[in-house]
């Protein structure tokens, strides 16, 4: 078990939403948590549009090279729904040398120009795909938060081409759409320069300057992943 910080935070959030939380515990057997939060009924006249990924279509092909897991099942179902052509290189437990070599061939042969490769970060590193945009611009990488930090910090992959697990449908669609359209962004175009008259982002003020300006902010950061 942990320190119980998560339970304390959960209790505060539920109470802030005018709800209640309770638990039943039997030593060495189980603990059951229950919470109730009041929500107003949505108006019957409310007609919110469905999210984009619920009715969208994508063009191209995708090669899936990840372990067969719930993430794999979700990707397979989503890509079929969005109309992509699918090549399945998934594996049950261990990645075979044959599958690894086929993934390398796909990347080096240029077959991904109208599609993309979906793989996890471990496979991505095994392929030795570092910061080379010719390679990495056609790859969508799945991984944990700590792996995302490593990948982006080392310049291995574009932040928009990294999918955090567990997967969320809207993000899978958005990231996939981004990677499938990457060939439009990597055709030798010059790097965009700042436009005159458009304000640019500035570095945040130093802590001392913030304190002198009377802007004091309390921030609580909770993270259970290794960073």
């Amino acid at each position: 078990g942990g320190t119980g910080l998560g339970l304390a935070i959960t209790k505060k959030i539920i109470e802030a939403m005018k709800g209640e939380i309770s638990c039943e515990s039997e030593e060495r057997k189980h603990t059951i948590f229950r919470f109730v939060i009041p929500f107003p009924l949505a108006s019957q006249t409310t007609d919110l549009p469905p999210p984009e990924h619920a009715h969208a279509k994508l063009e191209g092909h995708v090669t899936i090279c990840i372990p067969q897991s719930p993430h794999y099942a979700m990707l397979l179902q989503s890509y079929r729904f969005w109309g992509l052509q699918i090549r399945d290189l998934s594996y049950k437990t261990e990645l075979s040398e044959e599958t690894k070599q086929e993934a390398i061939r796909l990347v080096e042969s240029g077959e991904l120009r109208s599609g993309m490769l979906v793989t996890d970060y471990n496979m991505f590193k095994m392929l030795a795909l570092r910061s080379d945009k010719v390679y990495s611009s056609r790859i969508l990488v799945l991984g944990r938060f700590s792996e995302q930090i490593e990948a982006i910090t080392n310049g291995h992959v574009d932040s928009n081409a990294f999918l955090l697990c567990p997967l969320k449908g809207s993000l899978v669609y958005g990231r996939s759409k981004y990677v499938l359209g990457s060939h439009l962004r990597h055709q030798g175009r010059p790097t965009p320069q700042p436009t005159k008259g458009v304000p640019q982002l500035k570095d945040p003020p130093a802590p001392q300057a913030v304190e002198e300006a009377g802007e004091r902010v309390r921030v609580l950061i909770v993270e259970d992943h290794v960073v």
Side-chain angles (χ1 to χ4, degrees), residues 56-64 75 78-87 110-118 133 135-141 158 160-163 171-187:
K57 294 296 179 184
L58 294 173
E59 295 183 1
H61 59 85
V62 56
T63 299
I64 303 177
L75 289 174
S78 298
Y79 288 145
R80 283 173 177 165
F81 177 78
W82 294 327
L84 289 172
Q85 301 175 39
I86 300 173
R87 183 176 185 187
E111 290 186 28
L112 297 177
R113 291 173 184 169
S114 61
M116 65 178 177
L117 171 66
V118 179
K133 295 300 182 182
Y135 284 18
S136 61
S137 65
R138 307 302 300 176
I139 299 178
L140 182 61
V141 184
D158 187 333
N160 287 315
F162 198 103
L163 262 175
L171 288 179
V172 172
Y173 173 76
R175 298 289 193 263
S176 299
K177 183 178 179 181
Y178 177 87
V179 173
L180 285 169
S182 64
H183 66 285
L184 301 176
R185 299 186 297 275
H186 295 281
Q187 294 180 335

Side-chain angles (χ1 to χ4, degrees), residues 204-221:
Q208 183 178 359
V210 173
E211 186 171 349
E212 290 176 353
E215 300 177 9
R216 302 180 64 89
V217 179
R218 298 177 63 186
V219 179
L220 172 64
I221 301 178

